[in-house]
Amino acid sequence: MVPHILDQPFWSGTISGLHLGPEGIPIKKFNEKEFEHKLLDLLNNQIYKTNVTLMSEKMKTESDTDKLYGTIIN
């Protein structure tokens, strides 16, 4: 993720805070070396994979699909 406008920095921090992925690189600090580091971290970090799977399972158990859908798109 390369947060650069509106709510993207918030979501970058949220994803990182929930250990679902690495914190994004601000667009003004973006460089190839840091991008490679973050991408490899995302692909190889077992903690992210585990937490994303757990989050996915929690989302699947939401019985009110309209509420879940509304939460995601709103």
Side-chain angles (χ1 to χ4, degrees), residues 18-21 44-54:
L18 293 172
H19 306 287
L20 301 173
N44 297 315
N45 190 324
Q46 187 59 44
I47 293 170
Y48 299 149
K49 293 176 185 180
T50 299
N51 289 340
V52 166
T53 300
L54 292 171

Side-chain angles (χ1 to χ4, degrees), residues 4 7 9 13 34 38 50 60-61 65 68:
H4 58 283
D7 62 341
E34 187 67 13
K38 299 276 185 168
T50 299
K60 288 178 187 176
T61 63
T65 55
L68 179 59

Side-chain angles (χ1 to χ4, degrees), residues 9-44:
F10 169 79
W11 289 113
S12 174
T14 299
I15 289 167
S16 175
L18 293 172
H19 306 287
L20 301 173
E23 185 147 11
I25 307 165
I27 192 74
K28 292 181 180 179
K29 296 182 180 181
F30 185 85
N31 63 67
E32 184 177 338
K33 183 177 178 180
E34 187 67 13
F35 178 73
E36 179 181 11
H37 171 75
K38 299 276 185 168
L39 182 59
L40 290 173
D41 183 31
L42 176 65
L43 296 173
N44 297 315

Side-chain angles (χ1 to χ4, degrees), residues 58-72:
K58 287 180 185 178
M59 291 174 71
K60 288 178 187 176
T61 63
E62 175 59 60
S63 61
D64 185 346
T65 55
D66 288 335
K67 179 179 176 185
L68 179 59
Y69 180 73
T71 300
I72 293 170

